[in-house]
Amino acid sequence: MNAPVVLVTGTSTGIGLETAVGAARAGWRTVATLRDPDRAGRLRAAADAAGVGDLLEVRRLDVVDQASVTACVADVIARHGRLDAVVNNAGAGHVGTLEQETVDDVRAVMEVNFFGVLHVTRAALPHLRAARGRLVTVTSVGGVVGQPFNEAYCAAKFAVEGFMESLAPVAATVGVSVCVVEPGAVASEFVANVGIDRDTAVAAAGPYGAALRAYLGRSAGAFAAAQSPAEAAAAVVATLTDPEPAPRVQTSAAARQFVALKLADTDGLGVTALTAGWLR
């Protein structure tokens, strides 16, 4: 029997890279996608080091470009004749607050983190349905718990979570399993890619400067003790191999505890008391 085929987005670094390599190690024919294939050197080296270079292939896919998504999925079907699973991992962080940014800034965050997921999911669903396959989306604990100065990012991740939770029972009627995977803090280049200079951001934050300084200081400590990308990716790969994966999976005990606080917090006071403390 031919190896099952999985497409993973956002594989140049971090969880995406480790998921692609981990899926190949688990026996999947892995189509690892990224916006710029010229940045695939680290990915290829990791696959070769793991002895799975022959099971991993690199393709260009930009999740905000519908034509790119359509072409990539079509190429996978043309080459392999099937698509058994998709891991929506591509995304971008963002730090800011509404009064100090434009609606277009927020819209750009939604394009990558929400509509990008929809582009890939919509293109893949007919093939996942044919394979009775699996759709896995990496969200965040920020898709459950709103966090200060992450308004746009959390809004996008909340939207993804709501979309997938609503899609799951519908997709199940045609044999497709839908799962979300929620990492907490992960020590990867995702944070660096937010592109924020602490001192510059605080100086420009005006009345929000003191709160932003406190938040960024707290975040630095959280990410210093973060889970590794490989550990988080192991939870993603497990959703590919589990015969009956849960619809919602956290990647660590800390992430489970954080999400559980919100899910039990019917009046919102527990969450807001916690996150308000991050700003002092």
Side-chain angles (χ1 to χ4, degrees):
M1 179 179 176
N2 293 332
V5 178
V6 59
L7 183 151
V8 185
T9 67
T11 62
S12 60
T13 61
I15 295 174
L17 183 154
E18 296 290 349
T19 295
V21 174
R25 192 184 290 117
W28 291 75
R29 166 64 64 181
T30 302
V31 181
T33 73
L34 59 166
R35 282 187 302 170
D36 181 4
D38 289 342
R39 296 186 61 207
R42 190 185 306 183
L43 170 65
R44 294 184 192 277
D48 289 343
V52 294
D54 59 332
L55 278 173
L56 186 145
E57 55 194 70
V58 175
R59 295 283 179 273
R60 181 186 179 276
L61 187 154
D62 182 349
V63 297
V64 302
D65 179 350
Q66 181 65 72
S68 168
V69 172
T70 300
C72 183
V73 172
D75 182 61
V76 171
I77 299 302
R79 288 173 179 269
H80 302 292
R82 62 192 292 179
L83 179 59
D84 299 277
V86 165
V87 177
N88 285 309
N89 170 75
H94 180 79
V95 173
T97 191
L98 183 59
E99 188 180 350
Q100 296 191 315
E101 54 192 4
T102 68
V103 172
D104 283 343
D105 292 332
V106 177
R107 186 172 283 118
V109 177
M110 295 294 292
E111 284 292 338
V112 175
N113 292 298
F114 177 64
F115 288 106
V117 169
L118 266 58
H119 286 323
V120 175
T121 297
R122 189 171 188 274
L125 269 173
H127 309 293
L128 297 179
R129 178 163 45 80
R132 301 186 70 82
R134 191 159 296 184
L135 175 67
V136 179
T137 301
V138 179
T139 61
S140 167
V141 295
V144 182
V145 181
Q147 299 175 46
F149 295 105
N150 281 255
E151 297 147 29
Y153 178 76
C154 287
K157 293 298 188 178
F158 269 53
V160 170
E161 291 254 346
F163 193 95
M164 292 301 170
E165 189 169 80
S166 301
L167 177 63
V170 179
T173 67
V174 293
V176 179
S177 298
V178 175
C179 317
V180 296
V181 179
E182 299 163 342
V186 175
S188 74
E189 292 185 12
F190 180 85
V191 178
N193 290 340
V194 171
I196 185 170
D197 177 80
R198 177 177 174 178
D199 291 339
T200 301
V202 168
Y208 301 103
L212 180 59
R213 181 180 297 280
Y215 169 74
L216 293 175
R218 181 261 172 198
S219 296
F223 280 95
Q227 184 178 34
S228 74
E231 290 169 336
V236 181
V237 174
T239 66
L240 294 174
T241 56
D242 189 332
E244 295 185 11
R248 174 184 283 128
V249 175
Q250 295 82 39
T251 65
S252 67
R256 281 189 292 276
Q257 183 179 16
F258 192 49
V259 167
L261 170 65
K262 170 63 174 283
L263 297 180
D265 186 27
T266 57
D267 63 9
L269 293 174
V271 166
T272 54
L274 173 66
T275 57
W278 299 356
L279 306 181
R280 297 194 289 268

